[in-house]
Amino acid sequence: MIYLNDDIASFDFEAALPLLSDQRREQALKFKHELGRKTCAAAYLLLCEGLRKEYGIHEKPVFEYGEHGKPYILGHTDIHFNFSHCREAVLCVISDHPVGCDIESIREYKESLARYTMNDTELTQIKQSNNPAQEFIRFWTMKEAVLKLSGEGIRNDMKTVLTGRETIETVVNERRGYVYSII
């Protein structure tokens, strides 16, 4: 299931603090900027909402971390989730199988970054697009979702990440200025 909060500006961090586990509260308070604190708390609350709705779990989840740092819920290794956030929104995906997601703000297109991270086919598609910035972000979120699926994270060779991957759900919200992908 997909849980999304795309009104981060209105998110009340102070009201959220008592709803967080001690572990998550500590993590949220480490962020220097308000946006980081808000998105950290909002992602956790989306997970809590999903756990209540999908699994009837009402306790505050505590995380353990896998080999590459991907979190899992202590005592519920059969429940898989992934978080992502940008300036405009927070995304949480919950599933009974491993999942990866990424959400990014649509921002200025930088061809040098595209050449470094995209293969020739992707570059052609970006350049032929009516909105190269949006198309670049669409590809980027797809790649990052794939890498987050494994817990691997960003790697040096981003050009081959999507090879053989054709079942990645992608949503573009032009009005709110973000793109997200889920695998």
Side-chain angles (χ1 to χ4, degrees), residues 5 8 11-14 16-17 19-48 61 63 65 71 81-92 103:
N5 177 343
I8 297 303
F11 184 81
D12 187 342
F13 178 70
E14 294 301 321
L17 278 175
L19 304 174
L20 306 178
S21 68
D22 293 342
Q23 178 192 49
R24 193 64 174 190
R25 185 179 313 107
E26 184 179 314
Q27 186 177 6
L29 291 170
K30 286 181 181 177
F31 283 91
K32 182 178 179 180
H33 299 288
E34 180 184 23
L35 181 61
R37 291 189 296 270
K38 281 183 166 187
T39 57
C40 180
Y44 184 83
L45 293 181
L46 289 175
L47 176 64
C48 290
F63 302 145
Y65 297 88
F81 72 96
N82 204 223
F83 296 136
S84 189
H85 57 81
C86 61
R87 288 187 313 271
E88 294 78 17
V90 174
L91 177 66
C92 176
I103 189 167

Side-chain angles (χ1 to χ4, degrees), residues 4-8 35 85-90 102-109 131 133-138 141 170-181:
L4 178 74
N5 177 343
D6 63 1
D7 189 15
I8 297 303
L35 181 61
H85 57 81
C86 61
R87 288 187 313 271
E88 294 78 17
V90 174
D102 187 44
I103 189 167
E104 299 286 341
S105 304
I106 299 171
R107 55 191 178 271
E108 180 184 349
Y109 172 66
N131 188 336
Q134 180 177 294
E135 188 69 359
F136 170 78
I137 294 299
R138 187 180 73 79
T141 62
T170 301
V171 173
V172 176
N173 188 323
E174 290 182 26
R175 188 175 60 82
R176 294 277 193 172
Y178 63 80
V179 176
Y180 70 80
S181 293

Side-chain angles (χ1 to χ4, degrees), residues 15-157:
L17 278 175
L19 304 174
L20 306 178
S21 68
D22 293 342
Q23 178 192 49
R24 193 64 174 190
R25 185 179 313 107
E26 184 179 314
Q27 186 177 6
L29 291 170
K30 286 181 181 177
F31 283 91
K32 182 178 179 180
H33 299 288
E34 180 184 23
L35 181 61
R37 291 189 296 270
K38 281 183 166 187
T39 57
C40 180
Y44 184 83
L45 293 181
L46 289 175
L47 176 64
C48 290
E49 177 186 351
L51 292 174
R52 278 191 309 276
K53 288 180 178 178
E54 306 301 320
Y55 297 94
I57 297 173
H58 293 273
E59 68 263 13
K60 297 173 183 176
V62 174
F63 302 145
E64 288 289 327
Y65 297 88
E67 177 185 352
H68 299 290
K70 186 173 181 175
Y72 62 91
I73 302 168
L74 186 63
H76 297 282
T77 55
D78 57 323
I79 300 172
H80 302 270
F81 72 96
N82 204 223
F83 296 136
S84 189
H85 57 81
C86 61
R87 288 187 313 271
E88 294 78 17
V90 174
L91 177 66
C92 176
V93 180
I94 305 170
S95 180
D96 59 359
H97 59 275
V99 64
C101 70
D102 187 44
I103 189 167
E104 299 286 341
S105 304
I106 299 171
R107 55 191 178 271
E108 180 184 349
Y109 172 66
K110 295 184 179 173
E111 190 167 341
S112 61
L113 180 59
R115 280 195 313 271
Y116 183 72
T117 58
M118 302 293 154
N119 64 40
D120 291 341
T121 302
E122 294 161 350
L123 278 172
T124 299
Q125 209 169 323
I126 290 167
K127 289 176 183 179
Q128 291 176 349
S129 167
N130 291 333
N131 188 336
Q134 180 177 294
E135 188 69 359
F136 170 78
I137 294 299
R138 187 180 73 79
F139 275 117
W140 181 265
T141 62
M142 291 168 60
K143 289 174 184 249
E144 196 163 333
V146 167
L147 294 172
K148 289 176 72 180
L149 172 70
S150 68
E152 190 175 352
I154 303 300
R155 64 185 197 198
N156 287 334
D157 180 19

Side-chain angles (χ1 to χ4, degrees), residues 142 146 161-170 182-183:
M142 291 168 60
V146 167
V161 171
L162 296 180
T163 304
R165 301 281 186 167
E166 292 157 16
T167 57
I168 302 171
E169 177 183 350
T170 301
I182 299 167
I183 184 167

